Amino acid sequence: MFAVVGRRIGGSDARGITSLVQQSTDRAKTGTRPAKVQSKDRDMGAALRSIYEKTVDETVPAEMLDLLGKLD
């Protein structure tokens, strides 16, 4: 029996949830994921790397350098 958002479910509902959890666990163990998900993950990773590189390459504004200099 599972409790979901304040209501108890059982029978076929519980078996359905158990099946979904098992499928998720099986995917995690084998490392296999649908190609569509892998493609989205790859695209997201590329976008994050691009943003990170642009951020690292930005110059530090003079005002920020002045403030940092005052901390010494």
Side-chain angles (χ1 to χ4, degrees):
M1 189 84 56
F2 294 94
V4 177
V5 190
R7 73 179 182 107
R8 298 183 75 118
I9 59 173
S12 64
D13 288 340
R15 284 189 292 279
I17 290 173
T18 302
S19 175
L20 288 173
V21 170
Q22 185 62 46
Q23 289 172 7
S24 177
T25 303
D26 290 346
R27 277 194 208 124
K29 286 180 184 175
T30 62
T32 60
R33 295 171 33 209
K36 189 173 185 178
V37 172
Q38 289 177 347
S39 176
K40 285 184 179 182
D41 285 352
R42 190 173 29 256
D43 293 345
M44 179 66 74
L48 288 171
R49 279 188 295 279
S50 174
I51 291 169
Y52 176 80
E53 288 173 7
K54 289 177 184 177
T55 302
V56 169
D57 290 340
E58 286 183 9
T59 59
V60 179
E63 296 85 9
M64 180 65 77
L65 293 174
D66 289 340
L67 288 172
L68 290 171
K70 293 177 182 179
L71 291 175
D72 290 335

